[in-house]
Amino acid sequence: DIQMTQSPSVLSASVGDRVTLNCKASQNINKYLNWYQQKLGEAPKLLIYNTNNLQTGIPSRFSGSGSGTDYTLTISSLQPEDVATYFCFQHNSWPLTFGSGTKLEIK
Amino acid sequence: EVQLVESGGGLVQPGRSLKLSCVASGFTFSNYGMNWIRQAPGKGLEWVAYISSGSSYIYYAETVKGRFTISRDNAKNTLYLQMTSLRSEDTALYYCAIHNSGYWGQGVMVTVSS
């Protein structure tokens, strides 16, 4: 099974900061990597699919990059509404697997 | 508008069974693979099972293999998850989701406890 390791587990940043969340796969996942945002009490929302494709309706301050085993979600200018937990998800091979999440807080 | 509505959850004793349903609308259900994904209280997301559009391909997480069965009825636009031999660690909010899409239901809670 492919293990997905996210770092950091908790990130505290100020409004307006550029924020980077990391996700590392235990083997090459060929860019089949999605990012989800989950706010408290809500279902997860797809932000980025296949590493760097912005889902419709998602603000352009969100972007993704990476290849092979290493992937990144970047928020160019952190907003108060971005407080949430972010999960990476690989759909390159079965079983599909999620990372354990990064909780993003406002300082 | 795409809608996925789960039902069938509840409180069940360990070792018992439960069947979840997910009724789909707003898209051509028979064209899409579907997933069940769960989230234990206060925990992360765990993919549970996948079924292809025509039910030819089915995959399970190791944690549920042999106990859970995913199925679908394309005529009824409905996805199912039959859960047997339930354990306390199966307690979670269960979501159905269209494969490789941003569409998820709101989830249905399953609590396994004596």
Side-chain angles (χ1 to χ4, degrees):
Chain A
D1 297 4
I2 297 177
Q3 310 303 317
M4 305 299 291
T5 302
Q6 289 189 243
S7 62
S9 54
V10 179
L11 179 58
S12 186
S14 300
V15 172
D17 282 355
R18 182 179 182 87
V19 169
T20 299
L21 285 64
N22 301 297
C23 179
K24 186 174 184 68
S26 60
Q27 61 192 73
N28 182 9
I29 56 171
N30 298 301
K31 296 191 173 185
Y32 289 109
L33 188 284
N34 294 351
W35 289 96
Y36 290 88
Q37 175 195 65
Q38 188 177 33
K39 297 182 178 180
L40 204 60
E42 297 183 7
K45 177 193 291 186
L46 179 64
L47 300 176
I48 302 284
Y49 62 96
N50 296 342
T51 297
N52 56 11
N53 296 282
L54 192 67
Q55 176 72 348
T56 302
I58 301 302
S60 58
R61 64 179 180 274
F62 291 93
S63 64
S65 63
S67 63
T69 61
D70 295 296
Y71 298 85
T72 297
L73 174 69
T74 300
I75 307 174
S76 60
S77 177
L78 186 64
Q79 300 301 304
E81 59 266 30
D82 300 335
V83 168
T85 300
Y86 293 81
F87 296 95
C88 62
F89 172 70
Q90 71 81 18
H91 56 104
N92 178 71
S93 60
W94 309 98
L96 309 183
T97 44
F98 287 90
S100 56
T102 292
K103 186 176 182 180
L104 182 56
E105 301 172 341
I106 299 289
K107 237 183 240 183
Chain B
E1 179 195 4
V2 172
Q3 282 201 311
L4 299 167
V5 180
E6 303 95 337
S7 63
L11 174 63
V12 61
Q13 293 179 326
R16 303 297 291 264
S17 299
L18 203 60
K19 187 172 185 176
L20 305 182
S21 299
C22 169
V23 176
S25 60
F27 66 105
T28 306
F29 179 71
S30 59
N31 286 351
Y32 291 88
M34 298 292 295
N35 291 295
W36 286 101
I37 295 159
R38 69 184 179 182
Q39 188 168 35
K43 302 296 185 182
L45 298 165
E46 181 187 16
W47 171 80
V48 173
Y50 164 85
I51 186 167
S52 62
S53 57
S55 304
S56 297
Y57 299 96
I58 289 175
Y59 302 97
Y60 296 99
E62 280 299 322
T63 52
V64 306
K65 196 176 290 185
R67 300 188 299 122
F68 289 13
T69 302
I70 189 171
S71 63
R72 63 192 296 160
D73 185 335
N74 286 343
K76 294 183 178 179
N77 288 346
T78 304
L79 175 72
Y80 302 102
L81 187 67
Q82 176 70 55
M83 305 183 292
T84 64
S85 303
L86 282 161
R87 307 167 180 167
S88 58
E89 53 265 37
D90 297 317
T91 293
L93 187 62
Y94 284 74
Y95 296 100
C96 66
I98 303 174
H99 188 62
N100 280 347
S101 83
Y103 296 104
W104 293 45
Q106 284 304 301
V108 60
M109 188 68 202
V110 173
T111 303
V112 184
S113 175
S114 53

